[in-house]
Amino acid sequence: MLFKVFAKDELPKLFDLLAANPVIAPVQKGVDQHGVPLFDFDVVHDFADLRLDYTSTIHSAKRYFLPYAETLATFTVDKGGWEKQVDLNIDRRQVLFGLHACDINALNKLDKVLVQSAYPNPFYAAKRRNMFIIGLQCTPRPQCFCRSMGTDFALHGFDMFLTDLGDSYFAEILSAAAFQFMARIVTREPGHDDHERYKAVVAEKNGRFQAKVDSSDLTKILDMEFESPAWKAWGDKCLSCGTCANVCPTCYCYGVEENVDLDLTGAVKTRRLHSCNLIDFAVVAGGHNFRPHSHARLKYRYYHKHRGFVEAFEEALCVGCGRCGEACLAGITVPAVIASVREGG
Ligand code: SF4
Ligand code: SF4
């Protein structure tokens, strides 16, 4: 990894260089009921619209890699068969500007399933390959527990990672493309003072974490507590709305549906992201539902993320971003659920 330092007024120049491609970045989307700014990722054309001081976004950046609905194939009677749908933007470079470490780690986890597995998703893989990612050091919110999940820093999965040192940025450069962009703005080699300032910023960030999840030996605890009353207690509160999976940067489950035109001349095959908390997630042919109760579905979600995925990849499928808990109208949060399961209900 290469390190560089550059003055803050070089950042708009870097943005303008990158803006030859579509740039996706955090922007403000109004305020909540308490007047606190809300942020989300969106396509940005002007550096002035960027909110690099954002805390978290309502949705993760997942939708730029895994759209909620994606046409896979179309069928027409004229052509006599299914025709694969090719996303014309799939090979075009895009830029994701200002992704926090938790969200970069979420993509690294998705890669394990959608790129590095026996059944890769070529749509996701192409978008991932062509996304130039600039990471950004975050300021944790009270809901963030990424430090408990080991995802508060990113070692890979980005091109460049920036830390705000006050009057300058400390840049970690990981890819050749990032190196080439950096060669076009004014940078300097970091010195001892820069290293000390970087360490001070990270130490200050680490001191801000409030939420925690005790993830030590959690897989064993989950094996022991499969019948814990905590699952029913939390599950009975669940509204089965699926919002948690919608905002989660690591949820990737989907269903494939085929819709036939009313005049029977064509059809469309669509992949649609699903949520294991939705009532029909485990319905099979014949109408049988393997998980008819909300507590069974909620339990399944936790066992996938904190038990099954750990068994397969030695890491949890949760980066501790806190989005699900914040969005849940029933007040269900990962730290609270895991704590009560640990306590045996
Ligand atoms: S957001 Fe909350 S209420 Fe909705 S499905 Fe998820 S856990 Fe249940
Ligand atoms: S489960 Fe919740 S806290 Fe964990 S990554 Fe998904 S949204 Fe974030």
Side-chain angles (χ1 to χ4, degrees):
M1 181 153 347
L2 282 175
F3 302 125
K4 294 278 183 192
V5 173
F6 62 89
K8 276 201 164 161
D9 55 10
E10 290 296 310
L11 194 62
K13 296 181 198 164
L14 180 63
F15 177 89
D16 288 344
L17 291 171
L18 292 164
N21 309 285
V23 178
I24 299 149
V27 295
Q28 186 172 346
K29 296 279 183 184
V31 293
D32 69 9
Q33 67 270 35
H34 308 295
V36 177
L38 295 168
F39 303 100
D40 218 344
F41 290 104
D42 208 342
V43 176
V44 175
H45 301 285
D46 188 342
F47 181 78
D49 294 333
L50 253 76
R51 288 295 303 266
L52 296 181
D53 59 340
Y54 81 106
T55 47
S56 181
T57 51
I58 300 165
H59 300 89
S60 72
K62 171 177 79 176
R63 68 183 186 276
Y64 296 102
F65 302 87
L66 278 180
Y68 292 115
E70 193 164 31
T71 302
L72 299 179
T74 51
F75 176 90
T76 50
V77 170
D78 293 348
K79 290 188 178 158
W82 287 101
E83 207 175 3
K84 269 192 196 166
Q85 195 69 22
V86 180
D87 180 350
L88 294 177
N89 285 324
I90 213 163
D91 285 323
R92 191 169 163 211
R93 178 186 272 173
Q94 297 186 80
V95 177
L96 197 39
F97 201 116
L99 202 57
H100 290 163
C102 61
D103 284 340
I104 293 172
N105 281 306
L107 291 172
N108 291 340
K109 289 176 191 290
L110 290 179
D111 290 350
K112 297 216 154 109
V113 180
L114 302 173
V115 179
Q116 296 152 11
S117 71
Y119 303 101
N121 173 338
F123 291 76
Y124 171 90
K127 292 189 185 87
R128 183 78 164 107
R129 195 169 50 244
N130 293 312
M131 190 68 87
F132 183 91
I133 296 180
I134 299 185
L136 184 71
Q137 200 74 255
C138 66
T139 304
R141 302 168 301 147
Q143 301 91 329
C144 297
F145 57 97
C146 57
R147 195 155 166 75
S148 299
M149 306 310 293
T151 54
D152 53 323
F153 61 93
L155 288 176
H156 65 100
F158 58 88
D159 292 270
M160 185 191 310
F161 197 96
L162 303 178
T163 299
D164 187 339
L165 298 184
D167 57 355
S168 55
Y169 283 105
F170 187 92
E172 303 164 48
I173 302 165
L174 210 56
S175 72
F179 185 78
Q180 284 163 4
F181 278 115
M182 291 299 271
R184 297 170 69 186
I185 63 169
V186 178
T187 64
R188 62 175 173 78
E189 297 299 316
H192 177 73
D193 284 355
D194 300 307
H195 292 164
E196 293 306 308
R197 285 159 76 197
Y198 172 87
K199 286 188 253 177
V201 168
V202 172
E204 201 270 334
K205 166 187 159 179
N206 291 345
R208 283 177 180 258
F209 286 105
Q210 296 177 31
K212 284 193 178 87
V213 163
D214 181 358
S215 56
S216 58
D217 67 4
L218 185 56
T219 53
K220 289 184 205 167
I221 300 292
L222 289 175
D223 280 349
M224 291 174 199
E225 298 295 345
F226 193 76
E227 302 297 343
S228 166
W231 296 119
K232 180 143 177 21
W234 284 107
D236 284 351
K237 293 182 195 214
C238 176
L239 307 168
S240 303
C241 64
T243 304
C244 44
N246 186 316
V247 298
C248 178
T250 62
C251 279
Y252 58 84
C253 292
Y254 64 90
V256 175
E257 60 188 46
E258 290 172 8
N259 290 305
V260 180
D261 293 345
L262 281 177
D263 62 4
L264 304 181
T265 59
V268 179
K269 194 184 297 241
T270 307
R271 172 175 35 224
R272 218 174 271 284
L273 288 191
H274 216 313
S275 164
C276 53
N277 277 335
L278 294 176
I279 192 162
D280 63 346
F281 185 80
V283 173
V284 292
H288 178 70
N289 190 345
F290 281 99
R291 293 186 211 105
H293 303 295
S294 58
H295 58 83
R297 295 192 293 275
L298 183 111
K299 182 159 82 170
Y300 173 85
R301 185 162 188 268
Y302 277 78
Y303 274 77
H304 179 209
K305 286 186 173 291
H306 298 276
R307 176 69 185 86
F309 203 84
V310 181
E311 186 169 299
F313 300 108
E314 299 192 5
E315 57 185 84
L317 187 62
C318 170
V319 293
C321 69
R323 285 186 181 96
C324 57
E326 201 168 8
C328 177
L329 291 175
I332 299 170
T333 71
V334 177
V337 172
I338 298 287
S340 63
V341 170
R342 276 190 171 277
E343 288 158 11

